[in-house]
């Protein structure tokens, strides 16, 4: 019996050592490894998500410039008492600006359509740019809120002001307004130097497009398709829309101009109803009759509905008069990512793409 004691002690010691090693392993193991094999025994612990890591803000922010008063995009003077640390931005372009300015880590809420950059998808949603939810916004305890201007946003702004929350409204009408928006946001976020550098780079790109447009002999007529669910009355953009301003800046002529607009009639929001040749559907959308497209054929068709699967081939296969439109017969039907035509930093990419399409590059 005594001769076996050393063996038993050795076995017990080995088991204790293996147990200790196993415990230490699970304490220090990499978070991504889920399966371990020790002495032929496979263990599959329940994976756990590592705690979120916080990295330093990638820009230097100027806290000393606060308190500050900002003029927002609709001319309101808004006081911001201290460097914002909890920001809610609602609107794709606005959220893109905050991230481009290097302050994305301070975003605690945004809109349902604010999906760029990818990091913007990891914060709570508080409605969308047309319908921001003031209660959800206030619950996040922001010290600065940035909204796209509309009637609902103004109601939200009033409610938030009652809680002492500073709110900025923006609604740039064109690419120049987008650059100005970035400058104002740079001031509001304490990153004016970054905003100024981005603004100069954007202006250089705008100037390059303008130089090319200045050399054009004529402006082609551009039909920007928003929705052609009703092939007899496809939707396009109104002349006062941001997209129309981009078409103009890129060297084209928007299909619908101010003098072509008919007065809205009862039932005009029903696309199956009889429509005038050109009919206002909403503030920024217009329905154009197919007969109008035949009588005044566009030189170029740009597919703003490409994001829902509409292609040039699909347009070519449409029945009747569609196949006889000059833009279709001449192969001048181009898809575009409509996200590039929201007012925001990436709208410069959209402007350059439009310019290449219009110039046939």
């Amino acid at each position: 019996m005594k001769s076996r004691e050393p063996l038993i002690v050795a076995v017990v010691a080995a088991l204790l050592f293996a147990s200790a090693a196993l415990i230490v392993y699970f304490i220090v193991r990499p978070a991504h490894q889920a399966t371990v094999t020790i002495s032929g025994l496979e263990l599959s612990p329940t994976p756990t998500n590592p705690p979120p890591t916080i990295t330093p803000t990638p820009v230097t922010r100027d806290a000393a410039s606060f308190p500050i008063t900002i003029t927002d995009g609709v001319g309101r003077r808004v006081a911001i008492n201290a460097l914002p640390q909890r920001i809610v931005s609602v609107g794709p372009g606005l959220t893109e600006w905050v991230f481009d300015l290097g302050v994305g880590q301070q975003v605690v809420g945004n809109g349902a359509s604010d999906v760029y950059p990818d990091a913007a998808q990891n914060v709570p949603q508080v409605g969308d740019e047309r319908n921001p939810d003031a209660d959800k916004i206030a619950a996040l305890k922001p010290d600065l809120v940035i909204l796209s201007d509309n009637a609902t946003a103004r109601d939200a702004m009033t409610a938030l002001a009652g809680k002492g929350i500073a709110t900025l409204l923006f609604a740039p009408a064109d690419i120049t307004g987008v650059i100005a928006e970035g400058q104002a946001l740079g001031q509001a976020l304490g990153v004016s130097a970054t905003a100024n550098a981005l603004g100069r780079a954007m202006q250089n790109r705008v100037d390059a497009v303008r130089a090319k447009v200045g050399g054009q002999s004529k402006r082609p007529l551009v039909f920007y398709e928003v929705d052609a669910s009703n092939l007899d009355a496809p939707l396009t953009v109104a002349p006062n829309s941001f997209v129309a301003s981009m078409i103009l800046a890129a060297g084209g002529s928007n299909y619908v101009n101010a003098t072509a607009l008919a007065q809205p009639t009862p039932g005009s929001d029903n696309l199956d109803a009889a429509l005038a040749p050109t009919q206002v559907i909403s503030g920024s959308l217009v329905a154009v009759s197919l007969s109008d497209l035949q009588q005044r054929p566009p030189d170029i068709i740009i597919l703003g509905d490409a994001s829902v699967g509409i292609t040039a081939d699909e347009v070519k296969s449409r029945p009747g008069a569609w196949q006889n439109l000059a833009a279709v017969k001449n192969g001048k039907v181009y898809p575009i990512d409509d996200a590039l035509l929201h007012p925001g930093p990436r709208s410069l990419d959209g402007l350059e793409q439009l310019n290449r399409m219009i110039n046939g590059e």
Side-chain angles (χ1 to χ4, degrees):
M1 183 71 176
K2 289 183 180 180
S3 62
R4 293 184 179 181
E5 287 181 357
L7 177 60
I8 294 172
V9 171
V11 170
V12 171
L15 289 173
L16 289 173
F17 178 80
S19 299
L22 184 61
I23 292 169
V24 170
Y25 177 84
F26 280 112
I27 293 174
V28 302
R29 71 187 177 94
H32 66 274
Q33 189 162 343
T35 302
V36 180
T37 301
I38 296 180
S39 300
L41 179 64
E42 188 176 82
L43 304 175
S44 298
T46 302
T48 57
N49 294 323
T53 57
I54 299 176
T55 54
T57 303
V59 293
T60 300
R61 302 178 69 199
D62 183 12
S65 64
F66 293 83
I68 192 172
T69 299
I70 302 294
T71 301
D72 70 5
V74 296
R76 297 167 53 251
R77 299 281 288 167
V78 180
I80 303 174
N81 295 326
L83 184 70
Q85 300 295 338
R86 296 181 62 81
I87 301 163
V88 171
S89 56
V90 186
L94 294 172
T95 296
E96 286 177 25
W97 260 127
V98 176
F99 277 85
D100 263 28
L101 291 169
V103 196
Q105 289 167 314
Q106 272 65 54
V107 174
V108 296
N110 62 18
S113 300
D114 303 2
V115 296
Y116 185 88
D118 289 344
Q121 301 174 36
N122 299 327
V123 296
Q125 296 177 356
V126 290
D128 59 39
E129 65 179 326
R130 294 184 181 277
N131 293 289
D133 189 318
D135 291 335
K136 288 183 178 180
I137 293 172
L140 295 173
K141 301 187 182 305
D143 45 22
L144 179 64
V145 177
I146 310 165
L147 303 176
S148 297
D149 183 40
N150 57 56
T152 306
R154 293 203 175 209
D155 289 342
M157 178 267 296
T158 300
L160 294 168
K163 300 177 185 294
I165 300 172
T167 303
L168 301 175
L169 300 176
F170 290 95
D174 52 29
I175 197 67
T176 299
V178 170
I179 296 174
E181 177 183 73
Q183 306 296 292
L185 286 172
Q187 287 184 297
L189 300 173
V191 287
S192 288
T194 301
N196 290 338
L198 285 173
R200 286 191 296 271
M202 292 174 74
Q203 188 61 56
N204 288 339
R205 293 170 67 184
V206 171
D207 291 344
V209 171
R210 284 176 175 164
K212 293 171 66 176
V213 170
Q216 291 179 200
S217 58
K218 62 170 289 188
R219 286 180 174 269
L221 188 61
V222 178
F223 183 83
Y224 183 89
E225 181 176 289
V226 176
D227 182 2
S229 299
N230 182 346
L231 293 178
D232 292 326
L235 290 181
T236 189
V237 291
N240 62 341
S241 65
F242 181 77
V243 174
S245 78
M246 293 281 281
I247 291 170
L248 184 67
S253 177
N254 190 52
Y255 190 82
V256 178
N257 57 47
T259 59
L261 291 179
Q263 292 298 315
T265 57
S268 63
D269 58 343
N270 179 1
L271 298 187
D272 293 324
L275 294 169
T278 301
Q279 186 98 88
V280 176
I281 297 300
S282 72
S284 60
L285 295 179
V286 176
V288 175
S289 71
L290 182 55
S291 62
D292 196 30
L293 288 174
Q294 290 177 275
Q295 295 169 19
R296 186 169 165 259
D299 299 303
I300 297 169
I301 296 174
I302 295 177
L303 301 176
D305 48 2
S307 59
V308 295
I310 303 302
T311 65
D313 287 340
E314 188 274 335
V315 176
K316 291 176 186 176
S317 69
R318 290 175 183 173
W322 280 95
Q323 297 182 19
N324 296 321
L325 296 179
V328 177
K329 291 195 295 185
N330 296 333
K332 293 189 175 182
V333 179
Y334 306 113
I336 194 169
D337 180 357
D338 64 333
L340 301 181
L341 298 178
H342 288 295
R346 289 195 298 161
S347 56
L348 264 296
D349 297 335
L351 177 66
E352 290 166 344
Q353 284 193 27
L354 286 173
N355 181 249
R356 288 193 293 271
M357 293 170 184
I358 289 169
N359 284 332
E361 297 178 8

